[in-house]
Amino acid sequence: MSSIGGTKRESTGNSDFGKKVGLFEANVIAVNPTAEEFRDILGMELKEDSKAAEYLGETKDGNIYLRVDFWLEEIKNKEKFKVSFFLEDKERENKDFTKKQYINSIGMCSWADDENNLAEWFTKGRDFRVAYTGEEDLYNFMRTWLAELDYRKVATTLQIEWKKLMRGNVKDIKDQIDGEWCGTIGALATVIVKERDGESKEYQGIYNKAFLYGGSLKQFRLVDYSNKRLQADLKNKKPRDLKGHEKFIVNVIGEYGCKDYYILKDLQDYNTDDNLVASDAYITEDGADY
């Protein structure tokens, strides 16, 4: 059974445009849209053979998977972007099968070799279970999007029924659009470069491992977080000493962070020449490119 609600927090793929990179504030305007919603909400007419509105599938191992597409509309220029999450009907374990990932009733995740060894901060006053593949990233997004929920309160819950998701039913998520719990979200637009048929192809992307509260984007206009020395200082800090936007930066630049081309500045048009992976520029030992 799905459950989203509790105590309200007190205040204390890009279409019709070229590729973009950078940070932007957006509203969620659609989740797994139907063909009709593609037309009416997103202004896109799908071709008869399009698979864009097909979200369920089966892995090579025979497990059901669901792709959850959130469509974001940028606040300023109303440009639209898609960020996707892939859920697989498979419990998440580490590589040597010694630990499982658990998820609690507000979408927070933790690893343990046994549920009895889970930390008190994770279990106290909360239901929990073994997490499925892809849930951590989905709930990270939803916790940021549904920013008006006060996750410190025991009464707050953020749970989507797994069996319904594995049938392709995302109504409980769609119902949150323009709802009382939602806020704007800060996202990072990237450009993905892939080799196809012997040549490099570029695609619009959105980093889906971390997000920002919409209002925190102002921090990136005050400080140049692309500065390598500043980034190194942030990586050396303890997680508990980092502010929200700093945790986002550490996630993006970390070992398992963003592997695509991005900039930690306001959204702007993508220039292929700025992306050394996609360009033919030669990097010399002193760092100059020609």
Side-chain angles (χ1 to χ4, degrees):
M1 180 177 179
S2 300
S3 177
I4 301 174
T7 305
K8 189 165 184 176
R9 186 169 178 244
E10 294 181 6
S11 297
T12 47
N14 188 4
S15 63
D16 302 325
F17 298 91
K19 289 181 281 293
K20 304 285 185 177
V21 290
L23 297 159
F24 64 96
E25 184 179 2
N27 286 307
V28 175
I29 60 171
V31 180
N32 282 15
T34 62
E36 291 76 15
E37 289 171 331
F38 264 100
R39 181 185 63 246
D40 298 340
I41 299 175
L42 302 174
M44 304 178 190
E45 196 73 47
L46 297 184
K47 297 179 181 179
E48 289 186 9
D49 60 348
S50 173
K51 298 185 182 298
E54 295 179 12
Y55 303 103
L56 279 173
E58 188 174 296
T59 68
K60 293 179 180 179
D61 296 328
N63 299 322
I64 295 173
Y65 74 81
L66 173 70
R67 187 182 80 251
V68 184
D69 290 346
F70 289 85
W71 282 87
L72 310 178
E73 185 175 72
E74 190 262 337
I75 295 291
K76 186 176 180 181
N77 295 313
K78 307 301 181 184
E79 298 179 55
K80 298 178 179 63
F81 299 85
K82 180 183 72 175
V83 59
S84 299
F85 302 92
F86 289 86
L87 307 178
E88 182 181 352
D89 196 17
K90 177 184 178 182
E91 291 185 350
R92 192 175 183 200
E93 299 179 271
N94 63 356
K95 290 183 179 180
D96 56 7
F97 304 105
T98 58
K99 292 183 179 181
K100 290 186 177 182
Q101 188 180 56
Y102 293 83
I103 188 167
N104 68 14
S105 55
I106 53 171
M108 296 188 73
C109 292
S110 184
W111 290 87
D113 57 354
D114 186 280
E115 66 176 49
N116 294 315
N117 294 329
L118 287 164
E120 185 180 3
W121 66 262
F122 179 80
T123 61
K124 187 176 181 180
R126 302 286 180 195
D127 294 331
F128 60 90
R129 59 167 172 78
V130 176
Y132 290 97
T133 300
E135 282 194 294
E136 181 177 22
D137 291 337
L138 173 66
Y139 278 94
N140 279 343
F141 175 87
M142 292 190 63
R143 282 171 57 85
T144 310
W145 172 38
L146 302 179
E148 293 302 317
L149 280 169
D150 190 340
Y151 296 102
R152 299 166 298 181
K153 302 295 185 180
V154 175
T156 298
T157 56
L158 177 56
Q159 297 173 294
I160 306 299
E161 185 180 337
W162 183 255
K163 289 183 178 180
K164 290 173 68 174
L165 287 175
M166 290 299 100
R167 295 195 298 267
N169 185 340
V170 295
K171 181 179 184 300
D172 293 323
I173 303 177
K174 283 190 174 188
D175 286 347
Q176 304 311 310
I177 297 175
D178 295 329
E180 64 176 314
W181 312 119
C182 73
T184 60
I185 195 159
L188 178 62
T190 70
V191 169
I192 303 165
V193 180
K194 292 185 177 181
E195 289 292 326
R196 293 282 171 86
D197 301 323
E199 60 179 334
S200 293
K201 300 285 187 180
E202 298 177 343
Y203 304 90
Q204 180 70 65
I206 298 292
Y207 184 57
N208 70 352
K209 301 292 185 182
F211 297 88
L212 294 154
Y213 298 113
S216 64
L217 292 184
K218 61 185 178 184
Q219 302 294 336
F220 294 84
R221 302 180 190 114
L222 300 173
V223 179
D224 181 10
Y225 284 109
S226 60
N227 182 289
K228 298 299 182 185
R229 183 173 297 176
L230 181 54
Q231 290 182 2
D233 289 342
L234 292 178
K235 290 174 73 173
N236 289 329
K237 283 187 177 182
K238 294 179 180 179
R240 67 171 179 266
D241 295 330
L242 293 169
K243 297 177 181 178
H245 67 283
E246 293 174 335
K247 291 179 181 178
F248 172 85
I249 296 164
V250 171
N251 183 295
V252 170
I253 66 177
E255 180 181 358
Y256 303 104
C258 187
K259 307 304 180 185
D260 304 317
Y261 178 74
Y262 67 90
I263 59 171
L264 293 174
K265 297 182 182 296
D266 282 333
L267 191 70
Q268 59 186 254
D269 292 333
Y270 168 65
N271 182 350
T272 301
D273 293 337
D274 292 334
N275 184 359
L276 296 177
V277 175
S279 73
D280 294 326
Y282 173 74
I283 305 176
T284 65
E285 291 185 0
D286 63 2
D289 55 341
Y290 300 91

